[in-house]
Amino acid sequence: MNCNVLKTSLPAEKVHKTRYAPTPSGYLHLGNLYSFILTATIARNTSASILLRIDDMDRDRFRQEYLQNIFKTLRFFELPYQEGPKDEVDFLKYWSQQHRLDNYTKALDELRQKGLLYPCACTRTDLQKAGLLSGCARDCSTKLRLDDPGLNWRYRTPEQSQFLQLFTGETIAYDFPVSMKDFIVRKRDGTPAYQLCSVVDDTRFGVNLVVRGVDLLESSIAQVALSHSLDNNTYATAVHFHHPLLTDKAGYKLSKSEGAESLHTLIKSSSTPSQILTLLAQRCGINHLVSHWTDFTYSELTSIV
Ligand SMILES: [Zn+2]
């Protein structure tokens, strides 16, 4: 991806709130634990507070045991947060994204009024056949209407570069990624899509430090563009930290599953927090004993390969 470094400053002094943003769509794995620990470490170093924001808008993949797994993991490793649900009951009662549908609808209305949305009936297969990674394959906007049933709503993404402030102090201009062209903001079933919910939520809760895997860099660029299209949305001013991805022994990206490296399996098999943290340390190339997440340092966590 093309990008230009524009300037250097010290954004670490400006951050005050970050978040863990897990999705209850599978059991968490060592990579998720790494991301949580890095977030907690950066928060500790910058005196930022942490919000627990669980993204449960995707109800097709939601399962109660995955939700429980999130709380169990945070408790098991004593990972702190100052804001958010304290348990599953509290989450479902007060913190679920289902309670914020009005916020998402308001954002969609605003985009619609600004002429930034169009309907699309294309399936993934249609896009593949047209050789597209994202966007519309059939010029749907001229033939369909937003209020027709069963259509995705696409956001007309800008052509111009997007600026991201990075935790390292740089502000970088990224070309808009082809993979995010005209990304979907409302799904066929009428529910708001992930990128829109995330941008709306981070603004609502005042998050201004986003720590996430480098695989989500293109998502961050897309979200910054979306933020600029919404009045009073602050996501575009957030500081970003895109961390390297932990891989399995064979070098492949970890996925949410019940495999040997899922935290669900590790915790269930009576491993202690220290044993699991030591396994994580080994995977990160760290060779000293760890018995608590605070035993990891920022420089160790950010220099994994
Ligand atoms: Zn289309």
Side-chain angles (χ1 to χ4, degrees):
M1 186 187 307
N2 286 332
C3 63
N4 293 305
V5 178
L6 293 183
K7 62 182 179 184
T8 300
S9 62
L10 286 170
E13 294 170 8
K14 297 191 294 186
V15 300
H16 56 77
K17 190 187 286 187
T18 185
R19 70 329 195 245
Y20 308 129
T23 307
S25 58
Y27 290 119
L28 300 176
H29 52 63
L30 279 177
N32 300 116
L33 179 61
Y34 163 75
S35 187
F36 289 165
I37 291 175
L38 177 60
T39 304
T41 302
I42 292 175
R44 191 173 54 154
N45 290 357
T46 57
S47 301
S49 65
I50 304 175
L51 161 77
L52 171 60
R53 197 197 81 196
I54 298 173
D55 294 346
D56 68 328
M57 188 51 69
D58 186 350
R59 302 309 282 184
D60 292 341
R61 295 192 299 162
F62 175 90
R63 273 169 51 184
Q64 189 75 21
E65 54 262 49
Y66 299 150
L67 180 63
Q68 288 167 352
N69 176 241
I70 291 169
F71 289 101
K72 194 178 276 186
T73 299
L74 293 171
R75 272 186 229 119
F76 191 74
F77 295 101
E78 299 180 346
L79 284 157
Y81 58 96
Q82 292 73 42
E83 188 180 358
K86 64 179 191 296
D87 55 29
E88 300 94 283
V89 174
D90 191 33
F91 171 73
L92 292 172
K93 201 167 177 185
Y94 299 111
W95 294 88
S96 164
Q97 288 184 314
Q98 306 298 320
H99 298 306
R100 300 193 289 279
L101 286 174
D102 285 354
N103 298 56
Y104 312 137
T105 301
K106 195 168 159 238
L108 287 168
D109 287 347
E110 184 184 338
L111 294 171
R112 182 175 185 168
Q113 280 169 14
K114 290 176 174 172
L116 293 171
L117 302 183
Y118 69 85
C120 178
C122 300
T123 61
R124 279 187 192 165
T125 310
D126 294 331
L127 297 189
Q128 277 167 5
K129 282 182 187 163
L132 296 174
L133 290 173
S134 183
C136 175
R138 288 196 298 246
D139 208 9
C140 292
S141 64
T142 60
K143 302 167 205 154
L144 303 167
R145 294 154 53 94
L146 282 170
D147 291 322
D148 291 341
L151 300 175
N152 289 314
W153 287 8
R154 291 188 178 277
Y155 161 65
R156 293 182 200 279
T157 51
E159 301 277 319
Q160 63 265 42
S161 302
Q162 299 298 310
F163 298 89
L164 263 68
Q165 286 190 83
L166 302 190
F167 189 72
T168 51
E170 301 150 334
T171 297
I172 298 195
Y174 291 96
D175 286 352
F176 197 87
V178 177
S179 66
M180 298 304 296
K181 180 172 172 51
D182 294 357
F183 61 89
I184 293 168
V185 287
R186 201 189 83 153
K187 297 190 280 188
R188 293 173 192 280
D189 62 6
T191 58
Y194 166 75
Q195 315 286 357
L196 180 109
C197 297
S198 189
V199 163
V200 169
D201 279 352
D202 277 340
T203 295
R204 179 195 159 100
F205 291 108
V207 169
N208 73 343
L209 170 62
V210 176
V211 181
R212 57 199 323 212
V214 70
D215 57 331
L216 292 174
L217 171 61
E218 296 190 346
S219 166
S220 298
I221 298 166
Q223 291 185 13
V224 165
L226 183 59
S227 173
H228 284 302
S229 293
L230 292 166
D231 296 342
N232 304 316
N233 190 282
T234 58
Y235 184 86
T237 62
V239 172
H240 286 78
F241 190 109
H242 295 99
H243 61 71
L245 296 181
L246 207 65
T247 54
D248 64 15
K249 284 178 192 159
Y252 291 105
K253 183 182 162 185
L254 299 172
S255 61
K256 285 183 174 174
S257 69
E258 298 192 47
E261 302 220 322
S262 90
L263 295 172
H264 173 67
T265 305
L266 289 168
I267 293 172
K268 209 169 60 176
S269 64
S270 305
S271 299
T272 63
S274 174
Q275 285 171 319
I276 299 172
L277 291 170
T278 300
L279 178 64
L280 175 64
Q282 288 167 353
R283 197 54 56 79
C284 292
I286 298 166
N287 293 317
H288 61 79
L289 282 175
V290 284
S291 57
H292 194 257
W293 70 266
T294 51
D295 293 333
F296 290 93
T297 67
Y298 173 79
S299 60
E300 286 172 344
L301 290 166
T302 53
S303 54
I304 71 167
V305 283

